[in-house]
Amino acid sequence: MSINFADDRGTISQIGNVMRVQNAFVEEVSVTDRNSGFVLISHAVRKPRNMISIENLRLNVNRNTTIISPLGRPMQLRDIRVGMRVDALFSSAMTRSIPPQASAFLIVARTQRQPPTSVTTDRVVSVDTRNNFLYTGNPRNINRQMRFYISDSTIILGRNGNQISLRSLRPGQMVRVTHANFQTASIPPQSTAFYVQVL
């Protein structure tokens, strides 16, 4: 564990039963086969007196882990390289080993110019399964809605953490959407969803 006064690695936060880290540094990548292996990341932990501790976490990757580029295109574990920055969603059930280990749900590779992902928590207005859109916000005011594109790599989890389909979402449900930090200038604005969690 090293101490650093100024580091741009992100810290870990909790979103329900899911943990989230942004801008983690890839320390090591191990590919067991096409669908499994692990990524060792380092992240920041804030300490007293404005100190930052850099700690490691092993994210275990399996066939249920989604790995995508900043634009939402599918990637494979072997495409992740040491020195890259990633955003990740992973299980809150972590081992007590050194370093701790957790199952990764989503890994988003970042580029230097790519802003971090954003999180929107709101109610479902409607679901368009034909065009793969999820609308959230105020059902009576289109100016207070958001349209999320649901790609083949978007993970949608039900309230119990089980993976569900877009057509399982219902108007009125509260959802937390992790999505691209950019959005279109349309009404309603549109962004790509990476992860949807029913609350």
Side-chain angles (χ1 to χ4, degrees):
M1 177 172 71
S2 61
I3 302 295
N4 196 331
F5 289 94
D7 196 289
D8 63 349
R9 289 174 177 91
T11 57
I12 291 177
S13 59
Q14 188 159 0
I15 307 169
N17 293 330
V18 177
M19 306 300 282
R20 175 185 184 195
V21 67
Q22 290 185 297
N23 203 34
F25 185 82
V26 177
E27 302 281 353
E28 180 184 348
V29 180
S30 175
V31 180
T32 306
D33 60 40
R34 187 174 178 204
N35 295 318
S36 63
F38 70 84
V39 178
L40 183 68
I41 61 168
S42 58
H43 60 91
V45 177
R46 298 189 192 288
K47 300 287 186 180
R49 298 182 187 165
N50 293 326
M51 297 286 285
I52 295 175
S53 171
I54 304 300
E55 298 183 4
N56 289 335
L57 171 67
R58 177 175 155 166
L59 297 176
N60 294 321
V61 174
N62 60 43
R63 61 186 177 88
N64 295 320
T65 305
T66 299
I67 303 174
I68 57 176
S69 74
L71 298 176
R73 295 191 180 103
M75 297 176 65
Q76 294 187 0
L77 180 58
R78 68 171 182 257
D79 298 324
I80 304 295
R81 303 272 184 248
V82 171
M84 289 176 75
R85 297 294 179 118
V86 296
D87 298 335
L89 296 174
F90 54 94
S91 172
S92 60
M94 286 190 270
T95 67
R96 294 178 186 251
S97 57
I98 300 176
Q101 299 181 33
S103 296
F105 301 135
L106 172 69
I107 298 174
V108 182
R110 297 181 68 178
T111 62
Q112 292 292 65
R113 290 172 284 181
Q114 177 67 26
T117 57
S118 293
V119 175
T120 299
T121 302
D122 215 332
R123 294 210 178 271
V124 173
V125 172
S126 65
V127 177
D128 180 353
T129 56
R130 171 178 264 176
N131 297 304
N132 293 327
F133 287 122
L134 168 65
Y135 293 82
T136 64
N138 185 333
R140 294 180 189 91
N141 187 346
I142 195 167
N143 293 314
R144 296 196 176 266
Q145 292 180 11
M146 185 79 177
R147 178 171 62 187
F148 296 104
Y149 174 68
I150 307 298
S151 71
D152 290 340
S153 58
T154 303
I155 297 174
I156 305 175
L157 294 182
R159 195 171 288 165
N160 297 327
N162 53 319
Q163 195 157 353
I164 61 175
S165 66
L166 176 61
R167 68 180 64 249
S168 299
L169 297 176
R170 298 286 177 255
Q173 286 181 311
M174 185 67 79
V175 292
R176 183 177 288 117
V177 183
T178 301
H179 56 92
N181 219 19
F182 58 88
Q183 60 189 31
T184 64
S186 59
I187 298 176
Q190 178 179 316
S191 187
T192 301
F194 303 132
Y195 177 85
V196 180
Q197 170 74 61
V198 177
L199 301 178

